[in-house]
Amino acid sequence: MPDLPDLPDRGADQDPPTAERDAPTGAPMPPFARTGPETDAERRQRRARFLRELAEARELRDRVQPRRAKAARLRHAMRMRTFRW
């Protein structure tokens, strides 16, 4: 087994960085630093942002791989035609 380099030990006397201290004034806190439950409005905003980014990624993929995108559209159309309600 190869020798691993010794990593510096973070002692218990050093406190971990906090979002309040490290974030610039007026900047929103990162989601992992929040202590209270997430509100419905925050969840909807986060979901809307995720869906926008997902749609943008799909559009980019369709632009850079047009043949694959066309095949995917045809497969989807076939699935929809053969779906039984």
Side-chain angles (χ1 to χ4, degrees), residues 2-70:
D3 291 330
L4 297 175
D6 291 333
L7 297 175
D9 184 32
R10 286 191 66 161
D13 57 332
Q14 295 178 349
D15 60 333
T18 61
E20 294 88 12
R21 187 177 64 229
D22 295 340
T25 305
M29 290 176 49
F32 58 85
R34 294 198 175 115
T35 57
E38 184 179 38
T39 65
D40 286 342
E42 290 172 336
R43 187 188 67 79
R44 283 193 301 269
Q45 288 174 348
R46 189 170 46 86
R47 182 175 186 272
R49 183 173 49 248
F50 169 76
L51 292 175
R52 278 193 306 270
E53 292 172 358
L54 181 62
E56 182 181 342
R58 285 182 175 153
E59 289 172 6
L60 175 64
R61 186 186 60 200
D62 291 349
R63 269 199 317 273
V64 299
Q65 297 177 336
R67 187 181 303 167
R68 186 174 291 180
K70 180 180 179 183

